[in-house]
Amino acid sequence: MGRKSREKKVRKQLFSGEALALLRPARATGIGLQDISTFRAFDESYSLTKVPKLYKYFDVDRLVSMLKAPSIRFTQPEYLNDPYECHLTLDRHALTADYREFRKRRSPGISNSELDSAVEAAESQIIIDALIGYRRQRDNLGVLSLSEDPLQLLMWSHYGSEHAGVCVEFDVTKLMPDVGNVQPEQLSILRPVRYTQQKVSGLPRPDTIIEVLTTKSNHWSYEREWRMVRTLDMTRKVNESIHVVDFPIEAIKAVYLGAKFPAARLGEVTKLAEAQGGSHINFVKLYIAPHRFELRQTTLEKYGWKLLHREHHFGEAAHEALVCLPMDDDA
């Protein structure tokens, strides 16, 4: 019997009936949607006492819509903005080793040469199944990205409408589901992102997928990101590409107004917050430090007096004085 004939015979034996079901990585190597039950409702390694204040950057229109109907998007990995995002480095050697062990358990009397032939014949298919299984599990998850830093210059430029938007502080406990309502096959965790130049390598199992979703290149470390990850069946589907989670307005603790926030919209957002039951929301005004590359924060009232002072003393040059002229209160 020639090599091709032997491979054909092995494939026929492997890919038929019960053997096919066992070969699929969803069963043979523990990879599959049924294993999502091993996910935990909460990641116990990060108790809420260890979670810092967390923020998210928006444009003004998104803030307005959020105040009217409080909800936030959990983005599917394929729609995130990093091309390296959520891509596992598949350990093909570990995958074939797992299959090899499976075949030995399945056929205790199999010879090494027969085992080599079985693994060789099955390798492409188990890799395909593993990659498809990984994609299926990954695409069943949504990611909410948050940051520890409301004063990050680059974050304001990239996500805060070039400093004309807002940064919202959330009470993350009010974004989490009631643990009693989380089903065994569901997931909702909160973790800090780990920054490294080494991609996650392994098999597409639930714990590895979560590690992939919370690992990014060192180039992104300035974001100081935390991620809330949950299965899409714990979100509200708006359309095929948008899934959101509704929350009480009490989850919004503070709103930081960017250094270039349009003054004409200040009354709109503060009055809307009041009308929607958000009288507890603390509005903070950011402004440019005149002598350092950093943002400063103050209350709306103090910022108003600061602006009036500059207008009184410097007239039509008030704006330039605000950003270019250090005063005693800018130490």
Side-chain angles (χ1 to χ4, degrees):
M1 183 182 295
R3 183 174 182 272
K4 289 187 178 180
S5 298
R6 287 197 302 272
E7 288 182 359
K8 185 176 181 181
K9 181 178 179 181
V10 172
R11 281 182 176 273
K12 184 176 180 181
Q13 178 186 4
L14 288 171
F15 298 160
S16 60
E18 183 183 5
L20 174 60
L22 289 169
L23 169 65
R24 298 292 182 185
R27 292 177 173 83
T29 61
I31 303 165
L33 288 176
Q34 70 273 20
D35 291 319
I36 216 164
S37 61
T38 63
F39 286 176
R40 289 174 289 176
F42 294 100
D43 189 338
E44 297 173 358
S45 62
Y46 298 102
S47 67
L48 290 178
T49 57
K50 299 177 183 177
V51 177
K53 292 181 178 181
L54 294 175
Y55 309 83
K56 190 165 183 66
Y57 294 77
F58 299 103
D59 59 36
V60 186
D61 290 335
R62 181 67 187 94
L63 173 66
V64 169
S65 63
M66 183 183 297
L67 290 172
K68 290 179 178 178
S71 67
I72 196 162
R73 183 179 181 183
F74 276 68
T75 305
Q76 292 159 276
E78 65 177 302
Y79 298 113
L80 296 173
N81 65 351
D82 180 1
Y84 284 95
E85 192 75 72
C86 309
H87 290 303
L88 170 71
T89 298
L90 182 66
D91 188 339
R92 62 184 299 173
H93 299 296
L95 185 64
T96 54
D98 269 12
Y99 179 69
R100 189 180 185 89
E101 289 302 313
F102 161 73
R103 287 291 295 163
K104 287 171 67 175
R105 292 194 302 272
R106 180 98 174 122
S107 306
I110 191 171
S111 68
N112 286 336
S113 61
E114 290 174 324
L115 188 57
D116 290 341
S117 295
V119 172
E120 182 182 356
E123 183 176 14
S124 293
Q125 187 61 50
I126 63 174
I127 289 174
I128 290 170
D129 287 345
L131 292 172
I132 291 175
Y134 168 69
R135 182 177 64 196
R136 185 173 63 244
Q137 292 189 67
R138 182 198 63 194
D139 291 350
N140 188 44
L141 299 171
V143 178
L144 171 62
S145 297
L146 302 165
S147 173
E148 294 183 32
D149 191 355
L151 305 177
Q152 223 295 329
L153 289 169
L154 289 177
M155 295 282 281
W156 275 103
S157 295
H158 297 162
Y159 308 115
S161 293
E162 300 175 354
H163 295 260
V166 300
C167 184
V168 176
E169 179 189 350
F170 286 101
D171 179 349
V172 293
T173 64
K174 291 181 169 57
L175 300 180
M176 293 178 175
D178 182 349
V179 68
N181 294 330
V182 178
Q183 301 303 309
E185 71 278 5
Q186 293 178 323
L187 157 77
S188 180
I189 65 158
L190 176 67
R191 279 193 189 182
V193 168
R194 180 175 66 95
Y195 298 102
T196 175
Q197 288 306 103
Q198 190 68 35
K199 289 179 63 182
V200 176
S201 176
L203 300 179
R205 292 171 173 156
D207 56 342
T208 309
I209 293 174
I210 294 304
E211 186 181 0
V212 171
L213 284 167
T214 53
T215 301
K216 298 183 70 173
S217 161
N218 287 326
H219 295 87
W220 296 91
S221 61
Y222 70 91
E223 292 188 342
R224 296 170 63 190
E225 185 178 356
W226 283 65
R227 285 186 164 180
M228 190 174 289
V229 182
R230 65 176 54 181
T231 45
L232 293 181
D233 59 0
M234 299 182 70
T235 67
R236 176 168 58 85
K237 183 178 178 180
V238 178
N239 56 47
E240 287 300 323
S241 61
I242 297 179
H243 294 74
V244 302
V245 167
D246 300 316
F247 60 82
I249 197 166
E250 290 78 14
I252 300 177
K253 298 181 68 174
V255 175
Y256 289 69
L257 308 176
K260 296 165 64 177
F261 184 88
R265 304 201 68 176
L266 177 59
E268 175 189 0
V269 296
T270 54
K271 290 176 182 176
L272 179 59
E274 185 78 23
Q276 296 297 110
S279 58
H280 66 283
I281 298 174
N282 179 32
F283 283 90
V284 179
K285 183 66 179 77
L286 301 186
Y287 63 96
I288 297 170
H291 56 312
R292 296 178 61 84
F293 290 113
E294 65 182 33
L295 295 171
R296 297 290 179 84
Q297 57 182 297
T298 187
T299 65
L300 294 181
E301 182 180 9
K302 287 182 178 179
Y303 183 78
W305 282 110
K306 181 186 288 285
L307 188 57
L308 282 173
H309 174 272
R310 302 304 192 273
E311 289 176 347
H312 175 74
H313 287 280
F314 305 106
E316 63 183 42
H319 175 72
E320 285 71 21
L322 192 64
V323 299
C324 302
L325 183 64
M327 304 292 286
D328 292 340
D329 58 351
D330 291 315

